[in-house]
Amino acid sequence: MVMTGEAITVGREQSKQRFLFVGNHSCLDFINTQMIVRGNLTDLLGGHADFVDWLVRAKILSQAQASAVSTEWSRKEREQLLEQGILFRKTLRDIAERIVARRPISASSIKSINQLTARRPGYTQLSYAEGRFERRFQPYAAQKDGLLAPLAEAAIDLLCTGDLSLVKKCGNTACILYFYDTTKNHARNWCSMRLCGNRMKVAAHYRKKQRKAKEKLPRRRN
Ligand SMILES: [Zn+2]
């Protein structure tokens, strides 16, 4: 659950925080556009420009599509896109929380996913290149509100073909980032070593040292 009642920093400008792609899955990376920075819940999507930037970095939009959004869409349409995105991010967070808690996904989440994919009618195409087959979705003429369908499709992909036991929340209880554990032994605990892993390891090492120091103290005779 996203913590409420504390200061929410909005936008990357204020936080100087770059987008993170540590989730190994675009729908988890999308959830991770909300994170804790210096103890504050921070939303990296401070405006529609941030959102379009994220969609390009996540390879959901091409640079040309992003330019079209910036130049051809009205301000209201861009704001609606952001609104729709943020609403869907909430749905994805709920899904991830339930997966981790081994609880069933809600019917309203399934409905939200289907509503997004319904806005991008198209057909599946098969292609063959460099010795392998590839499935590609070919949308009919681009529809403005179908832009977020790939995120909904990523959620379908995760739920249908992913190993849900590998969807994990960072082991640092103060962190709200999620990831899909693709390590060989499935032993990944942290969103990233830089953000949480090293810090938690240093803390554990310090606790161990403290304990050892205490054990070494001469016992008091009664
Ligand atoms: Zn973390």
Side-chain angles (χ1 to χ4, degrees):
M1 212 46 209
V2 173
M3 279 161 271
T4 48
E6 63 180 298
I8 298 183
T9 317
V10 170
R12 289 188 300 148
E13 269 311 295
Q14 289 100 318
S15 66
K16 303 282 178 222
Q17 176 64 49
R18 279 198 219 157
F19 291 130
L20 289 174
F21 290 95
V22 296
N24 289 330
H25 212 292
S26 60
C27 54
L28 299 178
D29 282 329
F30 189 42
I31 297 174
N32 293 345
T33 53
Q34 273 185 311
M35 62 187 295
I36 304 292
V37 180
R38 288 182 289 275
N40 293 319
L41 177 62
T42 302
D43 190 343
L44 304 183
L45 305 181
H48 46 78
D50 283 342
F51 186 30
V52 171
D53 188 19
W54 184 85
L55 289 167
V56 172
R57 285 168 201 266
K59 298 188 173 62
I60 287 168
L61 284 192
S62 67
Q63 206 48 263
Q65 283 173 307
S67 310
V69 173
S70 310
T71 56
E72 293 164 22
W73 289 34
S74 69
R75 191 182 176 83
K76 195 174 169 211
E77 284 169 333
R78 291 197 297 262
E79 274 164 8
Q80 277 169 348
L81 177 76
L82 175 67
E83 220 171 274
Q84 200 184 34
I86 286 188
L87 208 67
F88 191 57
R89 185 178 61 183
K90 220 172 145 196
T91 301
L92 291 175
R93 180 175 294 282
D94 183 63
I95 291 174
E97 279 171 359
R98 283 165 183 260
I99 291 174
V100 169
R102 307 279 189 267
R103 278 163 51 216
I105 308 304
S106 74
S108 67
S109 292
I110 294 174
K111 197 172 159 196
S112 301
I113 290 172
N114 289 336
Q115 276 171 345
L116 277 187
T117 53
R119 289 177 190 152
R120 194 171 75 143
Y123 47 92
T124 304
Q125 293 267 278
L126 178 68
S127 63
Y128 184 79
E130 291 169 17
R132 56 189 225 121
F133 290 110
E134 248 179 42
R135 172 195 288 264
R136 200 165 48 85
F137 183 78
Q138 183 64 45
Y140 291 126
Q143 295 188 13
K144 280 184 178 169
D145 59 358
L147 222 58
L148 302 184
L151 272 176
E153 275 151 23
I156 293 176
D157 178 50
L158 181 69
L159 291 168
C160 294
T161 61
D163 178 345
L164 299 186
S165 69
L166 301 182
V167 174
K168 297 180 180 177
K169 188 181 166 289
C170 177
N172 176 2
T173 49
C175 178
I176 58 168
L177 301 180
Y178 284 87
F179 57 88
Y180 189 79
D181 185 356
T182 54
T183 59
K184 209 172 157 194
N185 299 325
H186 306 315
R188 181 173 163 191
N189 278 325
W190 319 109
C191 60
S192 83
M193 281 318 271
R194 184 178 62 84
L195 287 174
C196 290
N198 286 334
R199 213 179 307 161
M200 299 306 280
K201 277 189 174 171
V202 166
H205 180 71
Y206 179 74
R207 278 198 303 272
K208 205 171 154 190
K209 236 173 125 181
Q210 291 278 85
R211 215 167 39 234
K212 277 199 174 159
K214 261 188 200 164
E215 280 165 9
K216 273 186 190 164
L217 284 177
R219 281 190 193 161
R220 247 188 284 158
R221 280 181 199 157
N222 289 329

